Amino acid sequence: MEILVTNDDGWGAQGITVLAKIMTRLGHVTVVAPDGPRSSTSNAISMHTPMKLQRVDISQDDRFTDEEKAQMDVYITNGTPADCVKLALFVLHEEDNSRIDLMVSGINHGSNASINVVYSGTMGACFTGGEHSIRGIGFSIDDFKQPTDLSHFEPYILEITKHLIEQPWPVGMSYNVNAPLGEIKGIKWARQCRGHWCKEIEPRVNEKGETEYWLAGEFVNDEPEAEDTDQWAINNGYISIQPCTVDLTKHDML
């Protein structure tokens, strides 16, 4: 199996290291990752900036075993997560871009449940893969800190991946997988929670005395009692799995 791995936290992040190591148990891994953080870029692409693609020598990288290194090629780019997918498809696999059997994105540091799935660069990569009929799974954990404890989540990642790739997979669909921090009670299929961000803009005065505006905000769950949502699942100690699609049509209104 040929597996593409990417993320939006950059190649130096803890999460992508763990995810790439796990995926070498399923096949050959090609990592194409941003050269730094690209969080909240959704599926933005670099229309006005030329992209570079650089191979990374991991021969002396002690985060990986020799067996894992033999199963992995790593590249970084100045582009976005969505760009990473396109570079993998149309540069690295130009001759046969159908060779990619699966793409996985993450492990993202921070939840991508509820409205966050729309902003997420992690899931933006999956949606870009879906555009090209590639099966995609985004993995996230409800903790922004690095390093963080991923030990509870790691055993589930391979199990979830194996289960999902054995199921019928509609064209254009991806899976958004979110884990709570700490002990995991189980796994729940979930729908996207209705939620929004408030108090989003924070003014700050810089060293020149100029006012700048920074994104901040607080997440508000608009349906906190609903027990079938991704947000409820991770708030209550469960991994949530949400099927997503690139088709944004509200079909029942047609």
Side-chain angles (χ1 to χ4, degrees), residues 140-142 153 178-184 233-235 237-240:
S140 305
I141 189 165
D142 191 21
F153 190 21
N178 286 276
L181 180 63
E183 183 179 357
I184 293 170
I234 62 173
N235 285 350
Y238 293 92
I239 294 173
S240 70

Side-chain angles (χ1 to χ4, degrees), residues 10-41:
W11 170 237
Q14 174 195 8
I16 194 170
T17 302
V18 172
L19 189 58
K21 287 168 67 72
I22 291 171
M23 289 301 134
T24 59
R25 302 180 210 172
L26 291 177
H28 179 264
V29 169
T30 300
V31 176
V32 184
D35 56 12
R38 301 288 191 278
S39 296
S40 301
T41 53

Side-chain angles (χ1 to χ4, degrees), residues 171-197:
V171 173
M173 191 185 74
S174 302
Y175 287 103
N176 181 19
V177 179
N178 286 276
L181 180 63
E183 183 179 357
I184 293 170
K185 297 177 182 177
I187 303 171
K188 286 189 177 291
W189 290 95
R191 64 176 175 86
Q192 181 182 332
C193 178
R194 284 189 289 106
H196 69 279
W197 288 87

Side-chain angles (χ1 to χ4, degrees), residues 110-125:
S111 165
N112 277 319
S114 188
I115 191 63
N116 298 312
V117 68
V118 176
Y119 298 113
S120 168
T122 303
M123 291 307 299

Side-chain angles (χ1 to χ4, degrees), residues 77-91:
T77 178
N78 59 324
T80 67
D83 290 330
C84 291
V85 178
K86 291 181 180 290
L87 288 166
L89 280 171
F90 302 114
V91 177

Side-chain angles (χ1 to χ4, degrees), residues 91-167:
V91 177
L92 300 178
H93 292 290
E94 181 183 14
E95 297 301 319
D96 182 14
N97 55 45
S98 64
R99 185 179 167 209
I100 299 174
D101 301 299
L102 174 71
M103 69 152 294
V104 292
S105 188
I107 303 167
N108 189 66
H109 294 273
S111 165
N112 277 319
S114 188
I115 191 63
N116 298 312
V117 68
V118 176
Y119 298 113
S120 168
T122 303
M123 291 307 299
C126 291
F127 297 146
T128 303
E131 173 190 350
H132 297 285
S133 302
I134 297 173
R135 300 178 294 179
I137 309 171
F139 291 97
S140 305
I141 189 165
D142 191 21
D143 185 23
F144 287 98
K145 296 192 300 294
Q146 291 192 55
T148 191
D149 183 7
L150 296 169
S151 61
H152 292 87
F153 190 21
E154 287 182 44
Y156 287 93
I157 291 174
L158 191 62
E159 174 188 340
I160 288 170
T161 302
K162 285 181 175 179
H163 175 77
L164 293 180
I165 62 178
E166 291 172 356
Q167 310 307 310

